[in-house]
Each structure stands twice: as structure tokens, then as C-alpha cells.
């Protein structure tokens, strides 16, 4: 923990103070002192913690609550109902929640079920913007069972836990290298390290937390924005693959990066760009595609004389619920329609390996179908250079473990809430399982 404290002290000097929800005063002392212990109290955000409560009465009902704030001060919270065992103790690794935001034995349930508090704007994601400061989560033990959104009973114990996205020694280098923008995260030590380009979807901008975690796991990770960042284009109008080629060559030639090839991991639009990169760029030898499409979408993609037109969204096929939530599941043009074949990414040309990751309840678009189409195309050309991870009950955005589940999220471009799909527990399990498999795949093909 001391190691983290040193990093925290440095980070605190430059970070705005976070306001956490202050708990009500403790009750007068009782015959026993209730305590909650979270271990490790400071650790990596993709690792499990152990949460134990002691000093309760046998069978005593309590509500456990987690409270966190994002960089803008928006509060997120979650809760679950537990009963102490005959010794007056609770262990979230073995004891089941009986109600609240989830049920069953879920050691990390309070983390992945964090959602905007009642007084906040709904449909916001708890996504870390700064990788150098930890996400602080307050764990509270309340008397009795209180349902989500209700005023909980008196606090009998509390603890704070820090969730870090980096370790001491990871270097973050902001890039302005030719046309390439972004951040390069290098693990501690001399290397060389396997190199990975990391891209997110149509929200644009620079999203670094996955790259930072990959660097803590031994990868040289380049977080690559491709629009709406610094001097990059403001909107997704058209793309030139040369930009991504320049990024791949920069990473491949970096003295800390192990060759000969690099990998790419992408989510949504980023997954689809990853497919194009491994197809056309010899530098890219492994692609992790999370919830992507096997055709180029929305924006035309140019590479030299070649153009892959983008499949279009038909806004007439978007349905809107009574609550004003947009469902875009049917809106993308059908990639199997022969008229749309020019949009198909010719992935059979790729020499490298694919890992396709999909949630079977993705409502953003039909990523399960698109993965099937990609696999069918590869097999048709006699290729078996792929793995598929398909998760029942998981939604669109499958992030590193314990990232809070967000079934509906505000779309930054459209400014409306869009249904991502999924069920919280299944989605959380998909995040945990896929994260290990993604690292195995990248190590296997990048050394």
C-alpha cells in the first residue's frame, strides 16, 4: 500500500479533490464494534478485492453500499442486502446478496453495479478520465435492508478503497508523432514488450484506462484516438487507413516494442477499424475485436486508391421507448445484402489472428451476427485463424473487469440515451472472463 501512497501523494498535488458522499454520524457505541475491511485497500482496478464485515449480531440484516465520484463530481452508488452468519460475520466472496442491485455470491458486485445516484443525470458512464489518480470507492455498512434509491439506515462501519489504473513505473507519453495523436503507455523495466494499439468507438476522443491497464500487464499500449481529439477531424466523416498505418509503424519501430508485428484491440467502431488494419497492414498480426462489425460502417475508409464505403444507419429503423431511450439494433444496413458487398472488409487477406468478442444481448447492433459472418468468410477461404468468445446476457461494451455495467448510456454524438443491452451480472462475468482471454491471445501471438 505504501507504494500506492507515494503515487497518490504525487497525483493529489495535481488532481482536483473529489467529494464523496459523507456518511451520517455513527450510532452510539454498541456492545461490539462493527468493522468492514476491504483487501487490498489500494490495488489495480482489474483485480478482485475481498470484503469482510465483522462485529455484527448473528443473522443481523445489513445493507452494504458503495459510493464513488467521477472527475466531474457526479456521484455513483450501489447497494446489496446481506445477513451476518452465526458468528456475526460476512464475507462477500462466499456469502450471497439477497436483494438490492444484485443477488447471489458476487465478490465484486458493489463495483460493477455502480450507477448514477438518484439526484444525478441518468445514463452516465463511470469511466476514468485520468489514469494517474485512483478511483476512490467508499464502502458503507448500514443497519437493516434498504431498497435502492431509499434512504439507508444508520452507518455502522465504513472503509475506503482505491482502484488504480496504473502501477509505479508505468510511463505515459503523450504523442504528437507526425500525424499520430494519443498516449503511449510503457510498462516498468527495459523490455522489449509486446506492442498493442487500443481504440474505442464512435464516442471519439482519447480513452486511456484500458491502455494503462494493459501496460500494467506488460504490454506497450498505444491509446489511439481517431477523431474529435486535438487536430484530428471533429466528426466521423471519412477515414484514411494511412493514419492507422503510421501509428502501427511508429509502435512497431519503437525501441521498447518487441517485433516483428504489433496487435490491436478495438471496441465498436474501433473493432471494425482493427479488422481493416489486420487485413491491409502487414505490421498488424493480431486483432481483438469487441462488438464490432465485419463490414466498414458509417464513414468511408480510404487506403491509397482503394475505398471501402461505409454501411449506413437508417434512422427510420430506430425505435424510441416511452422513457426516451433509443434502440438502434435494426438501424444498420444489412451487410448480407449483395448491394452492400463493397462495404465488406476482405478479412480473408489477413495473415494474422483474430479474437472476436461479442455479447449475445448487444442491442447497439448485431455483433453476434457480424462475428458469424466474419467466421463464415474466413472458413470459406479455408482459414481457421480465429477464436470466438460469445457471452450470453452480455451487452455491447465489454470492458476490463469490474467496469460498472451501463445498460443505457448517453451517446456523446447524438446526445440521446442509447440502449447497449445486456444484464448486469452476465455482463460483469463476461468482462472478467474476456480480460484474461484477451491477454492470453495477445501474448500468444505477439510473444
Amino acid at each position: 500500500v505504501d507504494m500506492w501512497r507515494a503515487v497518490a501523494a504525487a497525483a493529489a498535488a495535481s488532481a482536483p479533490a473529489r467529494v464523496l458522499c459523507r456518511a451520517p454520524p455513527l450510532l452510539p457505541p454498541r456492545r461490539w464494534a462493527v468493522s468492514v475491511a476491504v483487501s487490498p485497500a489500494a490495488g489495480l482496478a482489474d483485480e478482485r478485492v475481498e470484503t469482510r464485515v465483522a462485529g455484527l449480531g448473528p443473522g443481523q440484516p445489513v445493507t452494504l453500499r458503495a459510493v464513488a465520484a467521477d472527475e466531474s463530481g457526479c456521484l455513483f452508488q450501489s447497494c446489496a442486502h446481506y445477513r451476518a452468519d452465526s458468528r456475526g460475520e460476512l464475507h462477500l466472496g462466499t456469502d450471497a446478496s439477497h436483494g438490492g442491485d444484485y443477488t447471489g455470491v458476487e465478490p465484486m458486485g458493489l463495483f460493477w453495479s455502480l450507477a448514477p445516484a438518484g439526484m444525478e443525470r441518468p445514463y452516465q458512464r463511470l469511466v476514468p478520465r485520468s489514469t494517474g489518480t485512483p478511483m476512490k470507492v467508499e464502502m458503507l455498512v448500514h443497519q437493516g435492508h434498504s431498497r435502492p434509491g431509499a434512504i439507508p439506515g444508520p452507518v455502522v462501519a465504513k472503509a475506503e478503497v482505491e482502484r488504480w489504473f496504473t502501477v509505479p513505473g508505468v510511463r505515459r507519453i503523450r504523442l504528437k508523432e507526425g500525424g499520430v495523436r494519443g498516449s503511449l503507455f510503457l510498462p516498468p523495466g527495459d523490455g522489449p514488450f509486446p506492442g498493442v494499439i487500443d481504440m474505442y468507438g464512435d464516442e471519439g476522443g482519447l480513452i486511456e484506462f484500458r491502455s494503462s491497464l494493459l501496460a500494467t500487464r506488460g504490454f506497450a499500449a498505444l491509446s489511439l484516438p481517431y477523431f474529435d481529439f486535438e487536430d484530428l477531424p471533429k466528426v466521423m466523416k471519412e477515414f484514411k487507413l494511412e493514419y492507422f498505418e503510421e501509428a502501427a509503424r511508429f509502435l512497431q519501430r519503437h525501441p521498447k516494442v518487441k517485433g516483428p508485428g504489433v496487435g490491436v484491440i478495438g471496441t465498436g467502431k474501433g473493432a471494425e477499424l482493427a479488422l481493416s488494419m489486420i487485413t491491409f497492414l502487414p505490421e498488424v498480426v493480431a486483432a481483438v475485436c469487441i462488438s464490432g462489425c465485419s463490414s466498414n460502417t458509417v464513414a468511408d475508409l480510404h487506403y491509397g486508391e482503394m475505398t471501402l464505403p461505409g454501411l449506413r444507419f437508417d434512422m427510420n429503423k430506430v425505435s424510441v421507448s416511452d422513457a426516451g431511450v433509443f434502440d438502434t439494433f435494426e438501424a444498420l444496413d444489412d451487410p448480407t445484402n449483395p448491394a452492400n458487398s463493397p462495404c465488406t472488409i476482405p478479412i480473408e487477406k489477413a495473415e494474422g489472428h483474430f479474437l472476436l468478442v461479442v455479447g449475445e444481448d448487444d442491442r447497439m447492433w448485431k455483433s453476434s451476427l457480424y462475428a458469424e459472418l466474419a467466421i463464415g468468410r474466413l472458413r470459406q477461404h479455408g482459414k481457421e485463424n480465429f477464436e470466438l468468445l460469445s457471452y450470453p446476457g452480455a451487452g455491447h461494451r465489454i470492458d476490463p473487469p469490474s467496469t460498472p455495467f451501463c445498460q443505457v448510456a448517453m451517446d456523446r454524438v447524438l446526445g440521446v440515451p442509447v440502449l447497449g443491452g445486456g444484464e448486469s451480472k452476465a455482463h460483469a462475468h463476461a468482462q472478467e472472463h474476456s480480460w484474461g482471454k484477451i491477454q492470453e491471445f495477445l501474448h500468444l501471438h505477439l510473444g
Side-chain angles (χ1 to χ4, degrees):
V1 175
D2 293 342
M3 173 174 78
W4 301 102
R5 296 278 175 246
V7 184
S14 62
R18 266 174 223 206
V19 184
L20 278 189
C21 185
R22 285 291 126 227
L26 289 174
L27 288 182
R30 310 175 54 175
R31 282 181 299 116
W32 53 83
V34 180
S35 64
V36 56
V38 184
S39 171
L44 282 166
D46 61 353
E47 289 179 347
R48 281 190 176 193
V49 297
E50 282 210 353
T51 306
R52 294 174 184 269
V53 183
L56 296 167
Q60 183 179 342
V62 287
T63 297
L64 263 65
R65 231 169 110 241
V67 182
D70 69 8
E71 277 88 341
S72 64
C74 172
L75 276 180
F76 291 76
Q77 60 184 17
S78 59
C79 76
H81 300 160
Y82 288 92
R83 283 190 184 277
D85 65 16
S86 58
R87 297 189 306 277
E89 295 177 359
L90 264 182
H91 177 15
L92 267 56
T94 52
D95 293 326
S97 162
H98 304 292
D101 290 320
Y102 61 90
T103 56
V105 178
E106 294 293 336
M108 299 302 293
L110 287 168
F111 292 86
W112 52 249
S113 58
L114 282 163
M119 72 288 245
E120 302 288 358
R121 290 198 325 275
Y123 312 135
Q124 297 185 75
R125 279 190 191 284
L126 181 53
V127 174
R129 296 283 166 214
S130 158
T131 56
T133 53
M135 185 170 84
K136 293 182 180 178
V137 182
E138 197 162 31
M139 304 291 270
L140 304 159
V141 183
H142 297 266
Q143 280 185 12
H145 287 165
S146 47
R147 56 186 176 74
I151 295 171
V155 173
V156 292
K158 61 180 179 174
E160 189 175 82
V161 56
E162 292 181 355
R163 307 286 284 162
W164 285 86
F165 294 88
T166 189
V167 290
V170 166
R171 288 172 59 206
R172 173 181 177 266
I173 302 155
R174 281 300 300 277
L175 284 191
K176 266 200 166 167
E177 194 71 32
V180 177
R181 301 292 173 263
S183 299
L184 176 63
F185 291 86
L186 294 173
D190 296 332
F193 309 103
V196 182
I197 292 171
D198 177 23
M199 300 180 296
Y200 269 92
D202 60 7
E203 63 268 58
L206 178 65
I207 300 174
E208 299 176 308
F209 75 102
R210 184 165 62 191
S211 303
S212 184
L213 284 173
L214 283 168
T216 70
R217 301 294 172 203
F219 296 93
L222 168 55
S223 184
L224 186 69
Y226 48 92
F227 76 103
D228 196 19
F229 181 73
E230 292 184 352
D231 55 355
L232 295 175
K234 272 281 165 245
V235 293
M236 285 202 305
K237 197 168 174 197
E238 56 179 3
F239 291 121
K240 289 186 164 57
L241 198 62
E242 282 82 358
Y243 172 77
F244 303 92
E245 181 175 53
E246 193 182 344
R249 286 180 176 170
F250 163 79
L251 189 62
Q252 184 197 34
R253 292 169 184 168
H254 194 283
K256 291 265 187 182
V257 172
K258 187 188 288 190
V262 297
V264 59
I265 177 171
T267 298
K269 179 67 185 177
E272 171 199 310
L273 286 164
L275 288 177
S276 292
M277 288 170 73
I278 193 172
T279 297
F280 296 111
L281 308 179
E283 296 84 2
V284 178
V285 299
V288 178
C289 305
I290 302 169
S291 309
C293 184
S294 48
S295 292
N296 186 54
T297 67
V298 183
D300 293 356
L301 180 69
H302 306 284
Y303 186 45
E305 299 296 302
M306 181 209 74
T307 296
L308 283 182
L311 280 182
R312 302 298 172 192
F313 274 95
D314 181 351
M315 294 313 283
N316 293 322
K317 291 183 179 171
V318 174
S319 61
V320 185
S321 74
D322 293 343
V325 174
F326 283 58
D327 184 342
T328 59
F329 188 67
E330 297 289 349
L332 187 67
D333 283 351
D334 180 5
T336 65
N337 181 339
N340 293 323
S341 61
C343 305
T344 306
I345 303 164
I347 55 173
E348 69 279 359
K349 294 182 177 176
E351 294 296 321
H353 291 263
F354 299 89
L355 177 62
L356 307 171
V357 183
V358 295
E360 293 173 19
D361 194 29
D362 184 349
R363 293 295 303 178
M364 193 76 74
W365 59 12
K366 302 175 182 179
S367 53
S368 286
L369 168 68
Y370 305 150
E372 280 175 36
L373 293 175
I375 288 169
R377 190 173 181 96
L378 291 170
R379 286 201 163 132
Q380 200 182 332
H381 289 85
K383 296 208 155 189
E384 290 289 333
N385 55 340
F386 63 86
E387 290 174 60
L388 171 67
L389 297 175
S390 184
Y391 295 101
H396 180 69
R397 193 164 141 165
I398 298 172
D399 272 329
S402 304
T403 301
F405 171 68
C406 197
Q407 189 183 50
V408 176
M410 194 59 70
D411 187 281
R412 223 170 63 92
V413 181
L414 299 174
V416 297
V418 174
L419 182 62
E423 180 276 313
S424 59
K425 191 187 291 195
H427 191 90
H429 293 178
Q431 291 192 147
E432 185 157 354
H433 183 264
S434 62
W435 185 237
K437 291 293 184 186
I438 286 166
Q439 293 174 64
E440 280 174 29
F441 170 83
L442 291 171
H443 275 302
L444 177 65
H445 297 294
L446 303 176

